[in-house]
Amino acid sequence: MSFFSSLAAVRGEARALWHLAWPMLVGQLATVGMGVADVAMTGHASAAELAAVSLGAAIWSIILVTVSGVMMAINTLVAHEVGAKQPGRIAHLVRQALWKALGVGVAACLLINLATLIFDHLYLAPEVAARASLFVHIISLGLPPFAAYRALYGYSASIDQTKPMMVISLLALLVNVGVNWLLIFGHWGLPALGGIGCAVATASCMWLMLIAMLLWVRFSPAHRATYPFTRWDWAHWTEIRAMLRLGLPIGITYFAEVSAFGAVSLLVARFGVVQISAHQIALNFASLVFMVPLSFGIGMITRVGQALGRGRPRQARFADWVGVAMALAFALLSALLITSLRHQIERAYTSDPAVR
């Protein structure tokens, strides 16, 4: 293959990956944007409220990203069936993924509530520990619907339908910001709940996203051929175990990556609310930037899975390396931009001089 034909092949694969990834990127940014809005809006309430939200969000983000990884097995399985031209299997796989989501969501909800016990050992001011625990207890109610949403998300992305996630996530972000504004600061006669208002808003938006996704799948012509709710299936534990064998290593990897940063938030807690808040702002913005390579990765699952389903491993390997190169290029660019714009970023998050 000549240099020019190789370059054309790279450009073609990059375009195909970008076509898949950009709606998911917007959706991922909007989803993480809810956490950004929580931190930024609470940061303008008080440093103590921001510290409580920061500690609660540290645990929330670890569990949320882990659930996303565990549920990602459906992406691979559906993409493989699309490539193999076996659409009849897809609906059944999605139904089993939703049973899996029920178990994963409930287990995650229980786990995150148990994790609040760690606040008793961090030398926190009692009011900060109590507020952080209450934040987690309320926001945990959003984990079961989030797991089910991610099952439908993976199904839709793997049949090349990524725009629903973009639209739904943007809608949820707008609702989240609006409810935050009402509940954090107590507008329109509502009580000023501070950081607890963020938890109410985010948990509510998780349910909104699931309902919106169910409606989109129900009425979208693109989902009609593989619509998963034409019949009822009980849980098939053999298939669910197979999905867990695929999804658990991804979830554990995500857990290790995110907890490496989230755990530092808990270690910093003993140094006071200013240090907690400052660390959370840096971590929160880094998490926002990370959504770009994560979206490339989800798009790559679809490209690689479909290529393997067609029996073309070389094409799958080529798609993999193009995606890695695109993610690396963005990582270098984002590092330069964050360094250059660090003062503008800090001002967007907080008006507290010590935290800045």
Side-chain angles (χ1 to χ4, degrees), residues 193-279:
L193 300 178
I196 303 306
C198 298
V200 174
T202 301
S204 301
C205 285
M206 294 295 132
W207 285 97
L208 173 66
M209 291 168 70
L210 174 59
I211 293 168
M213 193 67 186
L214 286 168
L215 291 173
W216 194 300
V217 169
R218 171 66 181 83
F219 294 106
S220 167
H223 294 80
R224 197 164 294 152
T226 56
Y227 183 64
F229 303 113
T230 54
R231 53 170 290 182
W232 173 270
D233 277 350
W234 288 105
H236 294 185
W237 300 115
T238 302
E239 296 188 45
I240 292 173
R241 279 196 297 271
M243 289 184 184
L244 286 171
R245 280 197 296 270
L246 275 176
L248 279 175
I250 302 173
I252 291 169
T253 302
Y254 281 14
F255 174 82
E257 291 175 354
V258 178
S259 61
F261 300 99
V264 175
S265 300
L266 304 178
L267 295 174
V268 169
R270 63 167 51 190
F271 296 108
V273 297
V274 170
Q275 286 80 2
I276 298 170
S277 302
H279 175 76

Side-chain angles (χ1 to χ4, degrees), residues 128-168:
V128 173
R131 298 288 283 178
S133 294
L134 182 56
F135 176 93
V136 171
H137 294 327
I138 294 172
I139 204 171
S140 68
L141 299 176
L143 283 170
F146 177 75
Y149 170 77
R150 292 301 296 200
L152 295 173
Y153 179 119
Y155 152 59
S156 188
S158 297
I159 62 170
D160 298 327
Q161 297 299 310
T162 54
K163 289 185 180 178
M165 291 78 83
M166 176 181 70
V167 174
I168 291 168

